[in-house]
Amino acid sequence: MRKLFLAAILPFVFSTAVAVAAESGTPEEAKAMLERAVTALKADKAQALEMFNARSEGFGDRDLYVYCGGTDGTFTAHYNEKLRGASLKGLKDKAGKAFGEEIYAVATPGEFVEVEYQWNKPDSDALVDKVAYVTKEGDEICAVGYYK
């Protein structure tokens, strides 16, 4: 009876785990999105920032999105309108980690540096470990993060 139960339930458990994993972006997808963001910024900065804000043209996928800040430390792009114009550089996670300052400190043109912090997923209040790939293109500091 126990073997029959396990045989019946295992496919369901496996398919549920795969479905949950598919709901979140992967590290590879996050890095690829940031690479595309750099290309877009080089082509037309104003249009790129609009696309990032709108999560259009592939710059929003599940819980992956591009966010950027200008030289003054404020958000120039984020899907959440409330954050645009707010301080990216001054962001701290709930544990007090000043990850906004770290993002600005490590951003390097042509490199994708990882910054770890805790953040809530879109449409959720639950804190999750997050890793952001960070780079600098022109006068923009941009990142795409994935949730662990």
Side-chain angles (χ1 to χ4, degrees), residues 2-18:
R2 187 174 182 174
K3 287 182 182 180
L4 181 60
F5 174 75
L6 286 175
I9 192 101
L10 280 178
F12 173 76
V13 170
F14 179 73
S15 66
T16 302
V18 170

Side-chain angles (χ1 to χ4, degrees), residues 6 32 40 64 84:
L6 286 175
L64 298 178
R84 290 182 221 149

